[in-house]
């Protein structure tokens, strides 16, 4: 993984626009280029830090100093969850005063109706497990595939659907090879947000198999809002969002993934209780209007100096 430098055209466009604030999403992937731009045009830098920054890049010998340089130069640092803020504070206590936690809001644009199951040829009575995640090693699509394979060994004619962009070609090659001759494994590529609700609603269980998360995985929040049951890896980030048997279920490995999926597929009372609790939580905590207001307050505070 490398930083994403601005092209000459993008840099000149930004200079012409001359924003007062440059906001980077990811301290490493976007922050390095954003800091350079902010310095060139004398703008203030705001950084939203993610699970990848805290759990990977800040522990990487070739990235750590770049991430810390960006964070120390920023006027404000935002996180999605208190757990990430705590982890960042433990790494560099000097950053505490400028860290703000802003929960993500859940929002969908107007939706197009799409018969996902019909498109894939999956009957309505066949369990469909959805992994909405870009194809990257950190998202562990191979773990999802293995978990569903074990689920099928237990007598469930389950299918798995992968949705997302291919960001790491080598991980895609591994997944593609593993999916070969498995008619129960499907990949639809990236789906426009205007159709994404149809993918969620077609599924029986929504997965998150990430190696780590930033505290509020978009896919889990969207599934919760659409009243789909969630099953997530018990890793940093997910643990701050998903209370086991509170708003979803957690697992540690492929065997546990299969076991917990069976519970969601067979225990209707558990499923309905988790779905309702998750929906109530996301409605109370993930208001997109309040999210926007929170960022606006930070921008105004910075401008006032």
């Amino acid at each position: 993984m490398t930083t994403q430098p601005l092209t000459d055209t993008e840099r000149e466009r930004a200079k012409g626009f001359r924003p007062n604030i440059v906001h980077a999403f990811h301290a490493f992937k976007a922050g390095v280029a954003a800091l350079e731009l902010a310095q060139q045009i004398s703008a203030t830098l705001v950084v939203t830090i993610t699970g990848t920054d805290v759990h990977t890049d800040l522990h990487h010998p070739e990235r750590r100093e770049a991430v810390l340089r960006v964070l120390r130069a920023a006027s404000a640092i935002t996180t999605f969850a208190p757990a990430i803020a705590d982890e960042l504070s433990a790494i560099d206590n000097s950053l505490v005063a400028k860290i703000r936690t802003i929960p993500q809001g859940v929002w969908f644009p107007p939706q197009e109706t799409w018969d996902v199951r019909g498109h894939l040829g999956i009957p309505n009575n066949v369990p469909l497990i959805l992994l909405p995640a870009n194809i990257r090693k950190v998202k562990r699509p191979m773990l999802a595939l293995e978990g569903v394979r074990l689920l099928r060994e237990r007598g469930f004619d389950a299918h798995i659907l992968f949705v997302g962009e291919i960001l790491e070609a080598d991980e895609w090659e591994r997944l593609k090879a593993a999916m070969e001759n498995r008619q129960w494994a499907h990949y639809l590529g990236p789906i426009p947000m205007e159709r994404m609700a149809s993918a969620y609603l077609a599924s029986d269980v929504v997965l998150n198999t990430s190696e780590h998360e930033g505290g509020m995985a978009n896919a889990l929040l969207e599934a919760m809002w659409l009243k789909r049951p969630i099953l997530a890896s018990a890793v940093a980030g997910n643990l701050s969002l998903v209370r086991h048997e509170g708003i979803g279920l957690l697992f540690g490995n492929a065997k546990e993934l299969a076991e917990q999926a069976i519970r969601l597929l067979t225990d209707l009372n558990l499923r309905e209780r988790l779905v309702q609790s998750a929906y109530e939580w996301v409605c109370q905590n993930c208001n997109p209007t309040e999210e926007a207001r929170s960022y606006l307050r930070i921008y105004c505070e910075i401008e006032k100096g």
Side-chain angles (χ1 to χ4, degrees):
M1 183 189 299
T2 59
T3 59
Q4 303 298 315
L6 294 173
T7 65
D8 291 341
T9 300
E10 291 170 336
R11 187 177 291 105
E12 290 306 311
R13 185 181 303 161
K15 288 180 179 179
F17 176 55
R18 298 200 65 80
N20 299 103
I21 297 171
V22 175
H23 191 152
F25 183 74
H26 282 283
F28 182 72
K29 288 193 289 185
V32 175
L35 174 57
E36 178 186 356
L37 175 62
Q39 291 173 336
Q40 289 176 348
I41 62 176
S42 300
T44 301
L45 178 66
V46 175
V47 177
T48 293
I49 195 164
T50 69
T52 300
D53 291 318
V54 173
H55 301 135
T56 299
D57 295 332
L58 276 169
H59 299 280
H60 192 289
E62 296 177 4
R63 302 173 191 164
R64 178 183 173 88
E65 288 307 313
V67 173
L68 287 175
R69 184 174 69 252
V70 168
L71 296 178
R72 289 164 182 165
S75 294
I77 301 167
T78 69
T79 71
F80 298 136
I84 296 298
D86 293 342
E87 290 183 58
L88 180 57
S89 299
I91 292 171
D92 187 342
N93 191 57
S94 70
L95 301 174
V96 172
K98 53 186 174 183
I99 299 174
R100 303 287 185 273
T101 297
I102 302 178
Q104 292 185 90
V106 179
W107 174 84
F108 282 90
Q111 292 293 298
E112 300 173 10
T113 302
W114 182 30
D115 182 4
V116 176
R117 284 178 174 265
H119 178 76
L120 296 172
I122 303 173
N124 288 332
N125 63 343
V126 171
L128 178 60
I129 314 298
L130 174 68
L131 179 62
N134 292 327
I135 306 301
R136 301 167 54 201
K137 188 176 181 180
V138 71
K139 298 299 183 180
R140 299 194 292 187
M142 296 295 290
L143 172 61
L145 187 69
E146 176 64 8
V148 175
R149 185 189 70 79
L150 294 176
L151 178 60
R152 291 178 62 84
E153 281 190 357
R154 297 284 295 273
F156 291 82
D157 182 25
H159 286 229
I160 184 167
L161 172 59
F162 297 93
V163 169
E165 293 188 37
I166 298 170
L167 296 186
E168 295 176 0
D170 54 346
E171 189 65 14
W172 166 240
E173 291 303 320
R174 279 190 289 271
L175 179 62
K176 183 170 66 171
M179 290 173 60
E180 192 171 357
N181 298 322
R182 287 176 166 164
Q183 302 303 314
W184 47 268
H186 312 267
Y187 172 65
L188 281 179
I191 294 178
M193 278 300 293
E194 289 78 9
R195 285 188 161 195
M196 197 60 209
S198 293
Y200 283 115
L201 295 172
S203 67
D204 296 286
V205 177
V206 176
L207 284 179
N208 177 296
T209 49
S210 294
E211 191 174 285
H212 55 71
E213 277 289 353
M216 299 187 85
N218 275 329
L220 293 182
L221 297 177
E222 291 165 358
M224 291 160 64
W225 193 75
L226 290 169
K227 295 188 175 182
R228 309 318 294 158
I230 58 173
L231 179 53
S233 53
V235 298
N238 282 342
L239 291 173
S240 65
L241 171 65
V242 183
R243 302 186 314 278
H244 185 60
E245 301 200 12
I247 62 174
L249 297 181
L250 297 165
F251 64 88
N253 53 43
K255 180 174 179 291
E256 291 179 7
L257 188 161
E259 291 169 350
Q260 300 299 345
I262 289 172
R263 294 181 66 198
L264 290 174
L265 293 172
T266 59
D267 189 336
L268 182 59
N269 289 333
L270 172 68
R271 181 186 179 92
E272 290 182 347
R273 176 173 62 80
L274 294 178
V275 162
Q276 186 59 33
S277 295
Y279 177 72
E280 291 174 1
W281 187 93
V282 82
C283 287
Q284 292 169 5
N285 294 278
C286 300
N287 185 321
T289 301
E290 183 54 38
E291 179 190 25
R293 287 173 178 161
S294 296
Y295 282 111
L296 182 58
R297 281 194 291 268
I298 289 175
Y299 298 154
C300 290
E301 289 172 6
I302 290 171
E303 285 297 280
K304 290 177 181 178

